[in-house]
Amino acid sequence: MQQQLKDLMGTNVTLYGASGHCKVLIDILNLQGILIELIVDDDPAIVDLVGIPVVLSKEFTKQDNLIIAIGDNLIRKKISQKNSATYFKLIHPKTTISPIATIGKGSVVMAGAIINSDSKIGSHCIINTGALIEHDCNIGNFVHISPKTALAGNVRVGEGTQVGIGAVVAQGVKIGKWCVIGAGAVIIKDVPDYAVVVGNPGRIIKYLDKELYL
C-alpha cells in the first residue's frame, strides 16, 4: 500500500460534479497526495468547492484521469457515455481488497470497505464506507453499494442498481439491473430488473419505469 501511495503522488485528477459525494473524494485524494486539477459542473452558480475551482462542462477539455463525482447512478452513466475520457479508479488506503478481486475504471472505494476473494466490481461504481462484499460477487457497472451494506458470497448485482445503507443480501442472490434496495432491507431471494424492494424480508413495492434507463 505504501508503494501504491508513492506511485500516485503527483498525479493530476479532474472531478466531474461539485457534489457532496465529490467532497468525500476530495478527502481521499488529499489523503494520498493526489493533485486535484479542477472540478467540472453544469451549474454556473458554483465557482468553487472547498477552495477548488469549478468550471462549466462546456469549457472542459481534459481527457485523462477523470472521476465522475456524482452519486446518482443514471447520471454517472450518461456522463460517461458523452465523455471519451480516461477514467481514474480511486481507492481509500484504509480498505481491505483481495489481490484477486477486480475493480473497473472510474469506480471509487471508500474507507473501511472490504472486497473479498475473486469479486468483480464494474466500472463507475461506488463502494461506500464500511461496505462488505464477500467472495465471488459480481457487481455491474454504475452500481452504488451504500455504507454498511453486506453482500454474502456469490451475489450478483445488475447495472445501475442502488443497494441502500445497511442492507443485507443473502448468499447466491441475484439482483437485477436498475433496482432500488431500500435501507436496511434483507434480501433472501432474487430480485427482478427495475424492482424497488424494502423490508425484512425484502418485498417488491413497485417497479421503476424502464424507459428511463434504456
Side-chain angles (χ1 to χ4, degrees), residues 8-87:
L8 290 172
M9 288 182 68
T11 302
N12 285 349
V13 169
T14 296
L15 298 168
Y16 196 122
S19 63
H21 177 56
C22 183
K23 293 178 182 178
V24 179
L25 301 189
I26 290 168
D27 283 348
I28 300 173
L29 290 163
N30 287 337
L31 184 64
Q32 298 185 68
I34 302 171
L35 304 178
I36 303 162
E37 186 163 336
L38 52 83
I39 299 169
V40 178
D41 200 272
D42 295 321
D43 186 349
I46 304 175
V47 295
D48 75 89
L49 185 72
V50 294
I52 301 168
V54 177
V55 303
L56 290 173
S57 59
K58 64 182 180 181
E59 301 169 357
F60 169 64
T61 58
K62 183 179 171 68
Q63 291 295 309
D64 61 313
N65 288 340
L66 179 67
I67 305 173
I68 304 174
I70 295 172
D72 185 288
N73 297 342
L74 183 57
I75 293 176
R76 283 203 309 287
K77 180 176 181 179
K78 289 180 176 179
I79 291 173
S80 74
Q81 288 174 331
K82 70 178 184 180
N83 284 289
S84 57
T86 301
Y87 288 97

Side-chain angles (χ1 to χ4, degrees), residues 33-165:
I34 302 171
L35 304 178
I36 303 162
E37 186 163 336
L38 52 83
I39 299 169
V40 178
D41 200 272
D42 295 321
D43 186 349
I46 304 175
V47 295
D48 75 89
L49 185 72
V50 294
I52 301 168
V54 177
V55 303
L56 290 173
S57 59
K58 64 182 180 181
E59 301 169 357
F60 169 64
T61 58
K62 183 179 171 68
Q63 291 295 309
D64 61 313
N65 288 340
L66 179 67
I67 305 173
I68 304 174
I70 295 172
D72 185 288
N73 297 342
L74 183 57
I75 293 176
R76 283 203 309 287
K77 180 176 181 179
K78 289 180 176 179
I79 291 173
S80 74
Q81 288 174 331
K82 70 178 184 180
N83 284 289
S84 57
T86 301
Y87 288 97
F88 188 84
K89 176 172 60 181
L90 181 61
I91 299 172
H92 194 288
K94 292 186 177 179
T95 58
T96 301
I97 300 175
S98 165
I100 60 170
T102 59
I103 300 172
K105 65 181 181 180
S107 288
V108 297
V109 184
M110 307 302 195
I114 299 173
I115 302 173
N116 275 330
S117 184
D118 212 16
S119 281
K120 296 175 176 59
I121 311 299
S123 299
H124 303 289
C125 292
I126 300 171
I127 310 301
N128 223 315
T129 309
L132 168 62
I133 298 175
E134 265 298 347
H135 64 88
D136 298 296
C137 287
N138 194 316
I139 310 301
N141 299 334
F142 311 106
V143 167
H144 185 169
I145 305 297
S146 297
K148 298 297 183 181
T149 294
L151 308 185
N154 289 291
V155 166
R156 302 291 185 267
V157 181
E159 179 185 276
T161 286
Q162 173 91 29
V163 183
I165 188 168

